[in-house]
Amino acid sequence: MIAIRELGRLGTVFTAALAAVAVAQSPAVPDAVEQVARSYITRAALEAPIRFLSSDLLEGRGPATRGDQLTRLYLQTRLEGMGYRAAFGTGAWQQPFDIVGIKSQLPKSWSFQGKNARVDLVWRDDYIAVSGLQSERVALDDAELVFVGYGIQAPEYKWDDFKAANLAGKILVMMNNDPDWDPNLFAGKRRLYYGRWDYKYESAARQAAAGAIIIHTTPSAGYPWQVVQSSWGGEQFELPAGGEARLRLKAWASEEATRRLLKASGYDLDKLLAAARSRDFRPVPLGIRTSIAFTNTLARVQTANVGGVLPGGDPTLAAQVVVLSAHHDHFGIGEPDASGDRIYHGAVDNASGCAQVLAIGRAFAALPQPPRRSVLALFVAGEERGLLGSKYYAMHPTFPPGRIAANINIDGGNIFGPTRDASLISMGKSSLDEVAASVARSQGRVLKPDQFPDRGYYYRSDQFAFAKIGVPALYFADGTDFIGRPADWGRKQIEEWELKKYHQPADKLDGSWNFDGMIQDAQLDMLSAWLITQADAMPAWKPGDEFEAARKQALSALAGK
Ligand SMILES: [Zn+2]
């Protein structure tokens, strides 16, 4: 998963008391299918690919490296050997795309002229910014700042912070997060896409704004200012620019700096924030103007998604697909850790996800009868650079979005042992909840919601790119209730792993791994996927979900053809 921008453990609450999901009637999985899952999703089937992909020889699978090429060749040949067909065009197993790297040289000091005073914000201490354009020089000239509250337009919540104001060429100052005080509004405390920084910048770009400044506060971000500094201070990675609306500047300002800035025009942050907590809020022109210019250093490399299709057996439903996905990239070779290891092995993240998709894919190929819908095993690239491979696939899908029944994404795996529970990150969003609950129950496990709901995990791995084109996803995290362990043992293991190994060279395969939980989880994914391939109807978003409109659009595009 990507977390370089959200490393904060701060402000996270572990809810111990969790409601088990009400189990709806779902058709059972036949014994023959369960038997195939048991035969092919085994420790050996999982461990062998993890050993290969996380070995020193693969050098951390950084995009566009030799290790990346070897990874792709390995995945492609495994799919071929399993009886899959090349997923892309005429016999192509890979879908190449470019990654653009942008290093911006922002000024040490950024000046603003308010009604009453001039304010200078200092790079890193007060503000962080990156280029919104893939060009060598970017300039904003005498642009006006406008406070736009949350910067959200959400018809399903009858919420529009812009109220048709003309914001072209302005710099929009906006709050992080989404309204969180009412459970019926933006899912209460749960952070929706509307509450994320990527939405904020996209939303501002749709208004033809020149730039956006997100106000950082620790509670609204879920992490301290230092995380903004460390994750936005270096090179940024993107897909090559297309015709999409783009800001020229994407910035953050610290809370303290924002207060100082607003005061220059006689505004008070707390009063503005209070006004923003209403549907009646209107954009507030701040009477603050600024100019800024900076240069960028650009670099371009190529990597590729890898995919294979197992054609469905039903004459009609075979035109629809269930996508099993896992990202194959990691960070390559980088800064050494305390032991001097410089290879970011990415054994859990995400050799383990690739291994699970391979094992599940193999099980599907071994079924006595092919599934009714087709299955696409998709290994996406560039996830750690910002979900780039899945984003690219979603822009260039090999099945029309309205025919992609569901995405089952696997990012990481349980290495601590079998659990009595399974955590469903995507819980509450679609009819897939019932499918997952019925399979979990057949395993004797309880399905629980996201254990860290404020972290927005749903938006931090590749299922998110599918959601944006309307495809509902199943996305699990490790269970936390480990068999034969004290109640909070699991949470401690997971948090310690995040602290000591996550996105570090130490994420490697060793003798301490217990595969029993990963086997449980991969079987849960496989049997859920099988139920989705067999059902007469495609899965659906829960009414009012933030991605329901995208699905309707995809289905009507299909009907229009
Ligand atoms: Zn990761």
Side-chain angles (χ1 to χ4, degrees):
M1 72 190 77
I2 45 166
I4 36 174
R5 296 185 174 178
E6 340 262 327
L7 281 173
R9 247 167 298 279
L10 245 157
T12 60
V13 183
F14 183 82
T15 32
L18 294 154
V21 166
V23 179
Q25 290 303 316
S26 250
V29 176
D31 286 346
V33 175
E34 276 187 3
Q35 184 53 49
V36 168
R38 274 196 296 275
S39 305
Y40 288 90
I41 301 171
T42 61
R43 174 173 175 161
L46 297 171
E47 187 170 0
I50 295 171
R51 176 165 294 117
F52 179 78
L53 292 169
S54 66
S55 79
D56 284 356
L57 289 170
L58 275 284
E59 298 182 332
R61 309 186 304 280
T65 62
R66 181 180 158 85
D68 175 22
Q69 292 177 9
L70 288 167
T71 297
R72 288 186 261 136
L73 182 61
Y74 168 77
L75 294 169
Q76 155 181 347
T77 49
R78 284 289 315 270
L79 289 173
E80 191 177 355
M82 280 155 43
Y84 278 59
R85 296 185 190 167
F88 306 103
T90 46
W93 293 93
Q94 299 193 18
Q95 181 183 46
F97 66 91
D98 285 358
I99 296 179
V100 177
I102 312 169
K103 271 188 217 150
S104 305
Q105 289 82 41
L106 272 301
K108 286 254 179 319
S109 170
W110 182 10
S111 294
F112 298 79
Q113 186 60 53
K115 285 178 207 152
N116 315 326
R118 195 182 111 150
V119 173
D120 294 328
L121 298 192
V122 175
W123 169 249
R124 283 185 69 85
D125 293 349
D126 299 329
Y127 89 98
I128 289 282
V130 298
S131 177
L133 298 182
Q134 294 173 3
S135 55
E136 284 175 4
R137 199 185 137 73
V138 178
L140 282 75
D141 197 27
D142 196 30
E144 190 191 3
L145 272 59
V146 181
F147 177 71
V148 293
Y150 290 94
I152 291 175
Q153 284 181 304
E156 68 272 36
Y157 294 111
K158 298 186 174 57
W159 192 283
D160 178 4
D161 284 321
F162 301 128
K163 305 288 190 303
N166 180 8
L167 300 168
K170 312 284 187 196
I171 295 178
L172 309 191
V173 179
M174 43 179 65
M175 293 158 63
N176 200 349
N177 210 347
D178 53 46
D180 63 354
W181 57 86
D182 176 351
N184 295 315
L185 200 55
F186 297 92
K189 291 255 172 265
R190 187 184 177 108
R191 188 186 302 260
L192 297 181
Y193 184 50
Y194 297 113
R196 294 179 52 79
W197 54 262
D198 30 6
Y199 172 83
K200 306 286 175 185
Y201 293 135
E202 284 171 17
S203 178
R206 278 193 289 271
Q207 299 301 310
I213 301 173
I214 298 175
I215 304 167
H216 174 270
T217 67
T218 298
S220 65
Y223 43 82
W225 177 246
Q226 289 86 317
V227 173
V228 179
Q229 290 177 322
S230 60
S231 51
W232 291 81
E235 190 173 14
Q236 309 293 313
F237 299 94
E238 301 179 348
L239 293 176
E244 73 279 5
R246 280 182 165 258
L247 297 174
R248 279 179 268 167
L249 180 78
K250 301 192 274 192
W252 288 81
S254 74
E255 181 176 354
E256 185 278 324
T258 306
R259 288 186 186 279
R260 205 153 23 97
L261 183 59
L262 293 170
K263 217 181 268 173
S265 255
Y267 285 99
D268 175 71
L269 178 61
D270 297 319
K271 282 187 188 143
L272 288 173
L273 299 188
R277 290 165 64 97
S278 159
R279 283 196 171 93
D280 300 328
F281 169 82
R282 292 181 167 276
V284 181
L286 295 170
I288 302 171
R289 308 189 77 90
T290 186
S291 299
I292 185 171
F294 55 94
T295 56
N296 293 319
T297 310
L298 303 171
R300 199 181 259 250
V301 298
Q302 194 176 74
T303 182
N305 298 327
V306 179
V309 175
L310 186 71
D314 182 282
T316 311
L317 295 184
Q320 299 177 356
V321 71
V322 174
V323 179
L324 306 168
S325 62
H327 74 87
H328 66 65
D329 65 300
H330 199 55
F331 290 100
I333 295 176
E335 288 300 308
D337 65 7
S339 76
D341 194 351
R342 300 186 56 203
I343 297 172
Y344 287 66
H345 302 84
V348 167
D349 182 12
N350 188 25
S352 75
C354 292
Q356 290 174 77
V357 168
L358 285 171
I360 295 166
R362 177 73 185 86
F364 264 103
L367 289 169
Q369 289 186 330
R372 295 177 72 196
R373 288 188 174 82
S374 299
V375 171
L376 166 63
L378 181 67
F379 301 95
V380 292
E383 192 267 359
E384 306 285 15
R385 299 285 194 237
L387 313 179
L388 299 181
S390 52
K391 203 181 277 181
Y392 189 84
Y393 180 83
M395 287 161 65
H396 306 277
T398 51
F399 287 78
R403 292 213 178 98
I404 304 178
N407 169 230
I408 296 181
N409 185 49
I410 307 180
D411 193 353
N414 172 2
I415 58 170
F416 304 115
T419 59
R420 278 179 288 261
D421 61 345
S423 299
L424 184 59
I425 300 286
S426 54
M427 188 178 282
K429 299 195 76 66
S430 76
S431 62
L432 295 172
D433 288 4
E434 283 73 42
V435 176
S438 78
V439 177
R441 190 179 46 167
S442 76
Q443 291 184 312
R445 301 165 85 193
V446 178
L447 199 61
K448 289 177 180 172
D450 189 351
Q451 308 287 285
F452 304 91
D454 58 326
R455 293 191 189 179
Y457 279 131
Y458 190 80
Y459 313 95
R460 283 167 52 179
S461 188
D462 295 301
Q463 67 282 345
F464 176 50
F466 285 94
K468 279 181 104 178
I469 58 168
V471 179
L474 264 188
Y475 180 48
F476 293 95
D478 292 1
T480 50
D481 182 7
F482 285 81
I483 293 170
R485 305 284 190 178
D488 64 345
W489 184 86
R491 181 199 168 195
K492 272 195 196 134
Q493 301 305 307
I494 293 166
E495 294 201 330
E496 193 175 299
W497 186 87
E498 286 192 355
L499 194 66
K500 295 187 177 155
K501 300 191 176 174
Y502 174 66
H503 285 187
Q504 297 168 46
D507 176 10
K508 47 184 166 185
L509 177 63
D510 63 43
S512 74
W513 284 34
N514 180 330
F515 279 87
D516 293 347
M518 200 188 298
I519 292 168
Q520 277 184 317
D521 288 347
Q523 291 178 349
L524 172 59
D525 276 317
M526 194 263 163
L527 299 176
S528 302
W530 185 83
L531 285 172
I532 303 163
T533 61
Q534 301 308 107
D536 291 334
M538 293 218 297
W541 295 99
K542 301 242 155 120
D545 187 89
E546 57 189 325
F547 300 113
E548 190 187 24
R551 186 59 148 189
K552 281 184 182 149
Q553 206 185 334
L555 293 172
S556 64
L558 213 53
K561 265 177 195 163

